[in-house]
Amino acid sequence: MAIIKVGKGDLRGRDKAMSELKEYFSALSSRKGREITYNIRTYGCQLNESDSEKLSGMLDQMGLTEVTGDASADVIIFNTCAVRENAEDRLFGNLGIVKADKKTDKDKIIGVCGCMTKVPENVEKIRKSFPYVDLVFDPQQLHLFPVYLRDAIGKKKQLVNITSEDYIVDDSLVPILRKRKFRALVPIMYGCNNFCTYCIVPYARGRERSRDISEITEELNTLAAQGYKEVMLLGQNVNSYKGTNGERFPEVLKAAAEIKEFNRVRFMSSHPKDVSDEIIEIMSSYSNIETHLHLPLQSGSDRILKLMNRPYNREDYLKTAHYFRQRVPDGAISTDIIVGFPGETEEDFKGTLEVVKECAFDSAFTFQYSIRPGTKAATMEDQVPHDVVTERFGRLLELQNDLAFKSNQAKVGKTEEILIEGQSSTAPDILTGRTLSNHLVNFTIPEELRVPGKSADDYEGMLCDVEFTHARPYSVDGKMVKLK
Ligand code: SAH
Ligand code: SF4
Ligand code: F3S
């Protein structure tokens, strides 16, 4: 399958569609006597978050205003995730809910994009059960969204655009409206070649393709000049990055860390097979690279890892984890674990628990294995019964919750720099942010440090020192001691 690099010249049709839509929505706004709005519902990972920022950028240029949450809007886009069955169920549930909206307003547009559209059964289900969805397009063709949107407006028939090609479109060619004023999501590579036997991502996101390092560094410099404090380098396997002239991930990581305006350089998701000692050395030598490594384990049993097509064993994994702990002593390791992969025995599962204990993960995303039709594991014999999976899952959660709590407890009494993410969702007077090690912190601002006229939300993107006072299962409490 070919990988097609899209250039500026290839986007004339898209630009034309964009200006036509601008006119269309402006006329619609006059007709309705109000502004025209859009709402994007994003499921799944940071790659989808990044894609949604591009959809927002395009809709913003067409003159639309964003509304968030479950609010109804003139254009509603569902940016979907296919990684587990429950992510898919959520979409179908929510599509059912917007049906009534669509009935009362014939100008309303409903679109579905994202990874679910790459599974033919899903597209078929949308066609049959949700015929009022106006357009369906896949993540590889996000840059052509304005063309599809224009073509779908006023049509009775559902417009479906799914390609078998993989495109690479540089971020500079797509308008981006970033969600957070301090954090820039910067995809550096797309797709996955690993075909772990349980996983849908290689089918949904296509083959690996990396951006040119010159295009990445240009974007990073622009972001620094715009005042972004945190940059998040993204890729399904971010450290499998391969530049056109043989550049590898360490070069991209260093290039980002060299930009002193960035207080935080983060990266997601790294595959254990590509976490070299060199990467860990770089992490330990730059003070603005997060001291947090996401190292997805999946299973602690060599037999299961082999069946999963994960090309490392327990010993390799532990070696990497220990090296990181040694070189980055205040650092944190997070992981992804699947419970109940086909054929997993009690002994295999105990292997996972042992690795979890030995690594003392600071946090973990734990999942019950979900059959993904079309993947190799879907047809494997010995699918583990549901009750066995939930029982094992409970044991894993109990162990991991204890480890996460201990990791938070170890912070109590210390003072560290926090990048403020905004107001806490539960208490308006409390701010929330993260340490360099990615620990979530909720903290108060003493009266004397408050800036007159500033509301809690205005602190977003600022740095401060916080003294940690109390540990919770998933966060640390503290109080600000210095605003920077
Ligand atoms: N590329 C990343 C992971 C992307 S998907 C990596 O390899 O590390 C995020 C996580 O979802 C995976 O790490 C895995 O733990 C989980 N996952 C993927 N497919 C799954 C499935 N079929 N059932 C349950 N969990 C799954
Ligand atoms: Fe899925 Fe494996 Fe690729 Fe990660 S490396 S996206 S788990 S196939
Ligand atoms: Fe989901 Fe697609 Fe990300 S399947 S996890 S949104 S790459």
Side-chain angles (χ1 to χ4, degrees), residues 396-408:
L396 173 63
L397 217 56
E398 198 178 322
L399 168 62
Q400 182 51 44
N401 283 346
D402 185 44
L403 291 170
F405 185 46
K406 285 200 174 105
S407 168
N408 289 329

Side-chain angles (χ1 to χ4, degrees), residues 192 194-196 198-199 201-202 236-237 271 310:
C192 176
N194 295 320
F195 288 95
C196 301
Y198 50 80
C199 185
V201 171
Q236 267 316 334
N237 299 280
H271 194 298
R310 300 283 288 184

Side-chain angles (χ1 to χ4, degrees), residues 43-48 80-83 115-116 200-201 204-205 236:
Y43 306 82
C45 65
Q46 245 108 15
L47 263 301
N48 260 16
T80 62
C81 170
V83 82
C115 294
M116 276 178 71
I200 199 76
V201 171
R205 291 277 171 171
Q236 267 316 334

Side-chain angles (χ1 to χ4, degrees), residues 4-153:
I4 302 166
K5 179 151 175 139
V6 174
K8 210 175 162 61
D10 302 316
L11 292 170
R12 286 197 197 99
R14 179 207 61 180
D15 294 343
K16 185 163 170 281
M18 216 123 87
S19 56
E20 287 171 18
L21 285 164
K22 197 169 175 187
E23 272 177 40
Y24 168 80
F25 286 122
S26 157
L28 188 66
S29 169
S30 306
R31 178 149 63 83
K32 298 206 182 251
R34 58 167 176 80
E35 59 184 10
I36 303 301
T37 56
Y38 73 90
N39 175 220
I40 303 174
R41 306 189 189 176
T42 310
Y43 306 82
C45 65
Q46 245 108 15
L47 263 301
N48 260 16
E49 295 286 347
S50 166
D51 282 352
S52 288
E53 291 187 342
K54 291 174 184 162
L55 291 169
S56 282
M58 290 187 267
L59 288 160
D60 181 66
Q61 286 207 353
M62 295 171 203
L64 275 68
T65 308
E66 180 166 25
V67 288
T68 51
D70 289 335
S72 188
D74 298 288
V75 176
I76 303 177
I77 306 287
F78 292 90
N79 191 5
T80 62
C81 170
V83 82
R84 283 170 293 278
E85 199 177 349
N86 53 10
E88 297 195 338
D89 291 346
R90 271 175 65 206
L91 170 77
F92 292 125
N94 287 328
L95 274 184
I97 296 169
V98 295
K99 183 178 181 178
D101 282 14
K102 175 83 187 175
K103 264 201 175 139
T104 53
D105 181 358
K106 67 175 178 45
D107 295 316
K108 194 179 288 289
I109 298 284
I110 297 172
V112 176
C113 62
C115 294
M116 276 178 71
T117 66
K118 294 299 261 187
V119 179
E121 291 77 9
N122 289 331
V123 178
E124 189 52 26
K125 184 163 174 181
I126 295 171
R127 194 180 67 76
K128 271 207 182 120
S129 309
F130 307 94
Y132 51 87
V133 167
D134 299 281
L135 71 156
V136 179
F137 60 99
D138 72 6
Q140 272 76 335
Q141 303 190 95
L142 196 86
H143 56 291
L144 295 178
F145 162 61
V147 176
Y148 305 142
L149 180 59
R150 179 201 54 199
D151 293 350
I153 288 175

Side-chain angles (χ1 to χ4, degrees), residues 45 81-85 191-192 194 196-201 235-238 268-272 294-298 308 310 312 335-339 341 365-372 375 377:
C45 65
C81 170
V83 82
R84 283 170 293 278
E85 199 177 349
C192 176
N194 295 320
C196 301
T197 53
Y198 50 80
C199 185
I200 199 76
V201 171
Q236 267 316 334
N237 299 280
V238 75
M268 278 276 237
S269 191
S270 29
H271 194 298
H294 185 62
L295 198 63
L297 167 68
Q298 314 302 0
M308 286 177 161
R310 300 283 288 184
Y312 53 87
T335 197
D336 292 348
I337 295 169
I338 298 177
V339 176
F341 183 83
F365 299 95
T366 49
F367 307 108
Q368 300 191 10
Y369 168 70
S370 167
I371 295 182
R372 300 293 67 213
T375 61

